[in-house]
Amino acid sequence: MVETQKKGLARRRLLAAAAGTAVGSGAVTGFPTLWAQNIRNVVLRQFGTGVSNQNAIAEKCKEDLGITLQMTALDSDAVTQRAVTQPNSYDIADIEYWICKKVFPAGVLQPMDTSKVRLFDKIVPIFTTGKLTPTSTVAQGTAPNTVSFVDGAGSVRFSPTPTQWFTMIPTIYNADTLGIRPDLVGRPITNWKDIMDPAFRGKTSILNIPSIGIMDAAMICESAGVIRYGDKGNMTRAEIDTTINFLIEAKRAGQFRAFWKTFDESVNLMASGEVVIQSMWSPAVTAVRSRGIPCVYQPLAEGYRAWGGGLALAKHLRGIQLDAAYEYINWYLSGWVGAYLNRQGYYSAVLETARQHMSADEWGYWMEGKPAQGEIKNPQGQVMERAGAVRDGGSFEQRMGAVACWNAVMDEDRYMVQKWNQFIAS
């Protein structure tokens, strides 16, 4: 049995090496003919949130690899439930890191062998060490590195230090803040607490996904001087109570117009003017602006709330399907997808390959905080910004270097979710 496993691993490494020469081109070629033909017949069922489960990615994967991706987009809570309760209904789980903390210990996913991931050493170190630079501080919450590694090939126990076995390959991440309508707020917005200004009563919204919304609430509460947390990413029951009670009082006072769960809901609330300041995702701000409506992703004094997601392998994957899944992951990191996601305001896991698929002006605008030299277009070719525009929050280093916390699953997660739902129902 051990010898058979060694031979299988050696074969996959040989195939990966054969394909390595074409990684930068997008199309991954060089496989033995029969194997390549088999790969082109593979169907992989992927599910996750709509953030990264996009048809254009499936179409490009089919064009470059021949692999058919059947994508299903769900909200974060539904993703968590399906990952655990329907493990045979998918092959690839495209999940967020806080979800990984809930799902991986259930034993429904298999650790990845990092030796099969050709660009593993090029992945942004946030996902391996938790630090953007060697001198950075690991932010509070479920930082990606805390759930990135497990002890061994069959383990479901997270390792505090790097190993050969990775839970998921990071694909997409960002630093989130508040979105505002500068034409409607009537004053500068500088702090998270500004969302609670009585001047905005009935015109604010926060995100209704507990593990994310609670972190926005924590940023607001600390900014407003309501509480100073020991660790906002792992609150005590007393800290949870204080946070939720603050939200309930604000809700009863009429501060909130709505609580959104989906990308489209947030876009429509802001574009309609029903809401003038709210929790938001960067591409949602972009979507509002693409309609010709002023919208800003406002940098705030207390910093950003960060999130990230990645691709995980279902435990049942074996043989040619598993080989195809690794090739899909290697292709995902090879540049085209990274550039596609960067043009939406997200960040890609391997920066140098994404850069190869972007113009110098695009890279300067999205990643370096430079003024656009010409028109900046979204992945669909629609003009988003004109010459002279500068990305909200500046460069990649400025934004990701100002992360105060990550979306989190706390030790008191069940209690927190119960209290959050009480707030929504109050």
Side-chain angles (χ1 to χ4, degrees), residues 342-390:
N342 284 356
R343 292 187 187 102
Q344 297 179 63
Y346 299 122
Y347 294 123
S348 53
V350 178
L351 300 183
E352 66 182 62
T353 56
R355 186 172 190 169
Q356 294 166 14
H357 291 258
M358 301 175 75
S359 70
D361 192 24
E362 286 180 313
W363 185 262
Y365 174 81
W366 288 115
M367 303 300 294
E368 296 177 334
K370 294 179 179 178
Q373 300 302 300
E375 292 180 339
I376 298 296
K377 299 179 179 179
N378 67 12
Q380 290 74 42
Q382 299 169 319
V383 175
M384 294 169 38
E385 300 291 354
R386 306 288 179 180
V390 177

Side-chain angles (χ1 to χ4, degrees), residues 36-48:
Q37 289 174 345
N38 288 339
I39 283 290
R40 296 189 69 84
N41 293 325
V42 169
V43 175
L44 295 175
R45 300 163 298 163
Q46 177 176 313
F47 83 108

Side-chain angles (χ1 to χ4, degrees), residues 141-181:
T142 305
N145 67 298
T146 63
V147 293
S148 285
F149 296 95
V150 290
D151 291 340
S155 178
V156 296
R157 188 173 66 178
F158 297 119
S159 172
T161 56
T163 70
Q164 184 179 342
W165 303 100
F166 215 51
T167 57
M168 9 185 254
I169 293 299
T171 54
I172 184 173
Y173 55 104
N174 212 336
D176 284 357
T177 181
L178 297 175
I180 67 169
R181 281 286 300 270

Side-chain angles (χ1 to χ4, degrees), residues 257-314:
R257 167 66 181 83
F259 307 100
W260 61 267
K261 271 200 171 188
T262 69
F263 176 96
D264 289 340
E265 287 175 331
S266 70
V267 171
N268 292 335
L269 285 168
M270 190 65 89
S272 68
E274 292 180 66
V275 162
V276 301
I277 179 171
Q278 68 170 350
S279 301
M280 231 170 162
W281 296 333
S282 182
V285 173
T286 299
V288 174
R289 283 212 292 255
S290 69
R291 300 183 185 185
I293 299 169
C295 192
V296 171
Y297 212 39
Q298 184 62 48
L300 299 170
E302 298 85 6
Y304 294 86
R305 172 187 54 74
W307 62 273
L311 301 176
L313 304 180

